[in-house]
Amino acid sequence: MLYLLSKIILIVGLFAHAEEPLRCEKGQIRSVTSGKTTITDVTYCYDKETKSQLFSPNCRSKKCVAFDYPEELQFKDFIGPTGSPGFKVCRKVGGIPQIVEFKVSEKWYKLDQCIFQDGSFVNSDFLAHYYFHLKKLEPLQ
């Protein structure tokens, strides 16, 4: 029952915001690691309405390492009683998940991201959505 409920919540939430227009701008991302707060100046893209997606500019167009994982991932393999499916997918494809805040018009918005060694990043829920659904729909290049 928990598996089914988790799956429904993730899918509904992801589809609700999957195609919102994104805005890219220079701004700040704040994170806390080992009790130390770090604020970084970066360019990022986010959905204007709900602030529920966050991408580096190259990940916005899926031209970053986050979307290069060659294997097909199955949703059922990432659901469990603990942990976020998005964070689990992030680790599987070589990223580091983290909870961050990003600043828009002097207000901070809390979200998660999957950051990669080259500095690119993507919201981990979108990343999971991509591997569970969107990748299967995209034509081979």
Side-chain angles (χ1 to χ4, degrees), residues 13-126:
L14 292 173
F15 277 118
H17 303 295
E19 298 301 322
E20 289 185 20
L22 298 176
R23 175 185 176 120
C24 297
E25 63 185 42
K26 290 183 179 183
Q28 295 180 316
I29 291 182
R30 177 167 69 185
S31 62
V32 178
T33 305
S34 301
K36 182 179 177 187
T37 301
T38 304
I39 296 177
T40 308
D41 293 321
V42 296
T43 298
Y44 50 75
C45 306
Y46 61 93
D47 66 291
K48 296 183 284 187
E49 191 171 320
T50 64
K51 319 291 188 288
S52 63
Q53 293 183 47
L54 185 65
F55 300 86
S56 59
N58 58 336
C59 284
R60 173 189 183 185
S61 58
K62 297 187 192 117
K63 294 183 178 166
C64 67
V65 297
F67 302 105
D68 288 340
Y69 193 73
E71 297 174 28
E72 186 173 318
L73 304 180
Q74 299 296 321
F75 184 76
K76 65 180 177 59
D77 297 334
F78 294 87
I79 291 297
T82 60
S84 154
F87 274 25
K88 292 175 185 177
V89 169
C90 175
R91 288 184 188 99
K92 178 75 173 176
V93 301
I96 299 169
Q98 56 184 189
I99 302 213
V100 297
E101 293 178 296
F102 64 105
K103 195 173 187 179
V104 176
S105 300
E106 302 305 314
K107 185 174 178 185
W108 291 97
Y109 294 88
K110 193 175 208 174
L111 200 56
D112 59 78
Q113 72 176 6
C114 183
I115 189 164
F116 293 85
Q117 199 166 22
D118 66 356
S120 61
F121 55 89
V122 61
N123 171 258
S124 64
D125 286 341
F126 182 87

Side-chain angles (χ1 to χ4, degrees), residues 3-19:
Y3 167 79
L4 181 60
L5 182 59
S6 296
K7 186 173 182 176
I8 291 169
I9 290 170
L10 178 67
I11 291 170
V12 169
L14 292 173
F15 277 118
H17 303 295
E19 298 301 322

